Amino acid sequence: MIDTHCHLDLYPKPSEVIREAVKRGVYVIAVTTTPLAWEGNLRLVGEASRIRVAVGLHPELVAQRENEVELLCRLVPKSKYVGEVGMDGSPQNRPSLGAQREVLATVLNACRKAGGRVISLHSRLAVTPVLDEIERAGAIGKPILHWFSGTERELQRAVALGCWFSVGPAMLSTRKGRSLLAQMPLERLLTETDGPFGRLGEQSLHPWDVSQCMPELASAFRLSIQDVEALLRQNFRHLVTIP
Ligand code: MN
């Protein structure tokens, strides 16, 4: 099981979630919302070799924390994983879209200069500007559009730009999510939970809950669940091989 986008540090009891993830053998990319949290997350994760920590600055925090982009760029060369970064065009975040775009351009440049990074990107209601910045930045490594919710045309453009996609139980509980899934390239597909924000019903998702979307993945691509799991493991191996 592989959760490529989870906010481990934001659960009420992160250590218990980490212990359980280790017990179940789940691979996790632990994204962060501010670069100030990166070192603390590394300590939290400790020796758990299947859990990787990403350094990020969440677009919804850019209005308050734009000045942290310098720290983020200093940490990018030290971290193979970058995220959560991106842009958010929801009404409450629209006023900071200009600053969000500058921060994204700056961090993507840092990723390119560092020789390429695995980057988990948020693009809610801002897919086109996020893709513009990915295209402009050049060889940034492996951009993953997490919980993609754009249009089919935007999806086709993202595929052409070489983007990866991480999908999860919450996204695939909607008809739109399932219809986008069917058009994603199988060899660039990953799973995620976005826990604890990602929820199904009343429950926050945990890393091992990626298993809940196996039936949707199997039926979308007409594969067995075992074949889907093997494919996801292979994709993850390719993902972590940089560039
Ligand atoms: Mn997230």
Side-chain angles (χ1 to χ4, degrees):
M1 287 187 287
I2 302 155
D3 183 355
T4 59
H5 185 109
C6 183
H7 299 268
L8 279 182
D9 59 349
L10 300 181
Y11 288 95
K13 294 178 180 170
S15 303
E16 289 184 12
V17 179
I18 290 170
R19 204 175 309 133
E20 187 64 22
V22 168
K23 203 167 105 187
R24 295 177 185 237
V26 191
Y27 285 87
V28 182
I29 297 179
V31 293
T32 52
T33 54
T34 148
L36 294 168
W38 185 66
E39 285 192 9
N41 268 257
L42 286 176
R43 277 195 298 275
L44 193 64
V45 165
E47 302 296 303
S49 63
R50 287 180 168 157
I51 305 182
R52 323 285 165 83
V53 180
V55 63
L57 177 52
H58 197 289
E60 292 175 16
L61 299 184
V62 162
Q64 312 296 324
R65 294 174 174 264
E66 190 181 352
N67 59 331
E68 291 179 17
V69 70
E70 285 170 32
L71 174 61
L72 176 60
C73 290
R74 278 206 303 279
L75 295 178
V76 164
K78 300 183 184 181
S79 178
K80 179 169 173 176
Y81 304 92
V82 173
E84 179 166 1
V85 295
M87 294 177 66
D88 188 290
S90 307
Q92 67 273 25
N93 296 307
R94 242 177 255 153
S96 67
L97 271 174
Q100 292 181 45
R101 191 170 187 144
E102 266 181 53
V103 165
L104 179 61
T106 306
V107 66
L108 293 181
N109 269 325
C111 290
R112 192 195 60 243
K113 282 189 206 150
R117 290 292 180 259
V118 172
I119 314 163
S120 189
L121 289 144
H122 176 113
S123 58
R124 180 171 52 207
L125 299 174
V127 174
T128 291
V130 167
L131 295 181
D132 288 345
E133 292 308 322
I134 289 173
E135 186 166 23
R136 190 196 310 250
I140 55 173
K142 307 237 176 78
I144 309 166
L145 297 178
H146 113 83
W147 200 329
F148 181 87
S149 57
T151 64
E152 290 185 16
R153 189 181 280 256
E154 286 169 328
L155 176 61
Q156 285 158 12
R157 183 177 171 214
V159 171
L161 283 171
C163 292
W164 293 60
F165 301 90
S166 57
V167 304
M171 171 183 165
L172 299 182
S173 69
T174 70
R175 186 190 297 241
K176 183 187 176 190
R178 288 192 297 271
S179 135
L180 288 167
L181 167 69
Q183 299 164 66
M184 291 174 178
L186 205 43
E187 71 283 1
R188 280 189 252 141
L189 197 66
L190 302 158
T191 45
E192 66 160 46
T193 62
D194 201 17
F197 302 118
R199 306 170 75 86
L200 210 53
E202 296 296 298
Q203 295 294 315
S204 265
L205 294 165
H206 292 85
W208 46 91
D209 292 323
V210 290
S211 63
Q212 292 182 26
C213 62
M214 292 308 145
E216 278 83 10
L217 293 176
S219 94
F221 296 104
R222 297 166 196 259
L223 294 169
S224 70
I225 285 178
Q226 289 93 322
D227 286 347
V228 169
E229 285 171 342
L231 194 93
L232 291 169
R233 280 195 298 274
Q234 187 183 40
N235 287 354
F236 187 67
R237 275 199 301 276
H238 289 161
L239 176 79
V240 301
T241 312
I242 284 288

